[in-house]
C-alpha cells in the first residue's frame, strides 16, 4: 500500500491504486476500506499517490484482552460501532516505520492514518514553489528596508540589527512551517526555502558591501586636494 523508497522519509505516502507487475493496478488497502465506509469519496483524478496526514487521524487502540472482558464489552462495542476496525500488533518490533510525528510508529497505525486521510479528504500538500519564492522576495525586501534604515548608524548596530532580522526570519520559517503542517496539512521544503533565503541574503550582503566600498571610494576622491 505504500511506495517503496531507497531512503525512508519521515513524510509518508500511500498508493491510491497500487501498480502490479503486469502493468495493471489495483485499489490499495486504505482506499478499499475508505470506499466501503464512504462510497462517494472524492479522489483526485491526476494522482495515484497521496501524502498521509497523521495530524487528523483519530485512532483508538483497544487491547485484545478488553474484548474478552465482560465488564468492558459494551464499552468496546460502542467504540467500534460504525467505525473501521483494523486488527494487528502495535508492539511488533519488526513492523515500525518513521513518520513525521513518530520515528517508530507501528505499521497498523500507519494504515489507520492513511485511511483517515482519505476519509477526511485532507492529504498533506506541498507548499507551492511560487509561495516559497514570494516569501523569499518579502524577506529580501525586509532586509533591504533595514539596510536603508541602518545606513546612518554605526557598523556595530547595523551588523547586530541584520543578525537579529536574519535570525527572526529563520525562526519564522521553522515555526511557520511547523504550524502549516500541523494546522493546514501543508508541507514546506525547508531545504529549498532556507538555501534560497541564505543565497539571497548573500547576494544582498555583497551588494551592500560593494555599495559601501564605492561610497567610501568616492568620499576619498572628494577629500583629495585639487
Amino acid at each position: 500500500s505504500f511506495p517503496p523508497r531507497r531512503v525512508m522519509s519521515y513524510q509518508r505516502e500511500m498508493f491510491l491504486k497500487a501498480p502490479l507487475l503486469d502493468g495493471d493496478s489495483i485499489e490499495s488497502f486504505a482506499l478499499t476500506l475508505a470506499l466501503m465506509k464512504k462510497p462517494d469519496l472524492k479522489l483526485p483524478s491526476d494522482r495515484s499517490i497521496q501524502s498521509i496526514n497523521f495530524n487528523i487521524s483519530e485512532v483508538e487502540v483497544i487491547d485484545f484482552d478488553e474484548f474478552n472482558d465482560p465488564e468492558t464489552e459494551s464499552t468496546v462495542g460502542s467504540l467500534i460501532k460504525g467505525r473501521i476496525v483494523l486488527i494487528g500488533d502495535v508492539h511488533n518490533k519488526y513492523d515500525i516505520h518513521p513518520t513525521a510525528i513518530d520515528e517508530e510508529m507501528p505499521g497498523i497505525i500507519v494504515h489507520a492514518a492513511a485511511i483517515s486521510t482519505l476519509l477526511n479528504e485532507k492529504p498533506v500538500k506541498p507548499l507551492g514553489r511560487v509561495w516559497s519564492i514570494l516569501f523569499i522576495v518579502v524577506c529580501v525586501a525586509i532586509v533591504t528596508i533595514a539596510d536603508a534604515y541602518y545606513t546612518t548608524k554605526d557598523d556595530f548596530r547595523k551588523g547586530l540589527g541584520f543578525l537579529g532580522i536574519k535570525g527572526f526570519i529563520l525562526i519564522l520559517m521553522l515555526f511557520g512551517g511547523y504550524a502549516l503542517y500541523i494546522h493546514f496539512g501543508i508541507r514546506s521544503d525547508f531545504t529549498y526555502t532556507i538555501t534560497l533565503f541564505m543565497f539571497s541574503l548573500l547576494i544582498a550582503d555583497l551588494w551592500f558591501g560593494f555599495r559601501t566600498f564605492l561610497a567610501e571610494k568616492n568620499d576619498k576622491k572628494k577629500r583629495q586636494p585639487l
Side-chain angles (χ1 to χ4, degrees), residues 152-215:
T152 58
K153 308 297 180 181
D154 59 89
D155 291 339
F156 176 76
R157 288 185 62 187
K158 185 174 182 178
L160 189 63
F162 275 161
L163 184 62
I165 291 171
K166 294 174 183 178
F168 172 77
I169 292 176
L170 285 174
I171 293 174
L172 180 65
M173 276 195 287
L174 293 175
F175 283 91
Y178 176 79
L180 284 176
Y181 177 75
I182 294 296
H183 299 291
F184 300 100
I186 298 177
R187 173 171 52 88
S188 174
D189 188 348
F190 290 142
T191 303
Y192 174 79
T193 306
I194 292 177
T195 302
L196 185 58
F197 172 67
M198 297 307 294
F199 179 76
S200 302
L201 289 186
L202 176 62
I203 298 298
D205 287 341
L206 290 175
W207 164 246
F208 297 152
F210 180 68
R211 190 181 63 184
T212 303
F213 170 76
L214 290 179

Side-chain angles (χ1 to χ4, degrees), residues 16-30:
L16 296 182
K17 291 189 176 181
L20 302 178
L21 294 177
D22 59 1
D24 199 0
S25 61
I26 188 174
E27 287 182 357
S28 66
F29 175 71

Side-chain angles (χ1 to χ4, degrees), residues 43-170:
L43 298 174
S45 57
D46 57 340
R47 289 196 64 188
S48 60
I49 295 178
Q50 283 192 350
S51 296
I52 303 173
N53 191 341
F54 292 92
N55 299 302
I56 60 172
S57 306
E58 297 179 0
V59 179
E60 182 77 27
V61 179
I62 303 175
D63 245 346
F64 179 75
D65 294 336
E66 294 184 51
F67 283 92
N68 298 325
D69 187 353
E71 295 182 0
T72 61
E73 184 176 349
S74 59
T75 304
V76 171
S78 64
L79 286 174
I80 65 176
K81 184 178 180 181
R83 303 178 70 177
I84 295 176
V85 179
L86 303 179
I87 301 175
D89 187 0
V90 295
H91 303 294
N92 186 352
K93 64 180 181 179
Y94 300 106
D95 187 24
I96 56 176
H97 306 273
T99 68
I101 61 174
D102 190 348
E103 293 185 4
E104 297 184 351
M105 179 172 285
I108 193 73
I109 304 297
V110 179
H111 279 290
I115 297 169
S116 178
T117 298
L118 291 174
L119 291 175
N120 288 279
E121 300 177 10
K122 290 184 179 179
V124 175
K125 299 178 180 179
L127 182 66
R129 183 163 294 186
V130 173
W131 289 103
S132 298
I133 295 176
L134 180 61
F135 179 76
I136 297 301
V137 170
V138 172
C139 292
V140 174
I142 292 174
V143 174
T144 304
I145 294 172
D147 175 71
Y149 173 76
Y150 282 109
T151 299
T152 58
K153 308 297 180 181
D154 59 89
D155 291 339
F156 176 76
R157 288 185 62 187
K158 185 174 182 178
L160 189 63
F162 275 161
L163 184 62
I165 291 171
K166 294 174 183 178
F168 172 77
I169 292 176
L170 285 174

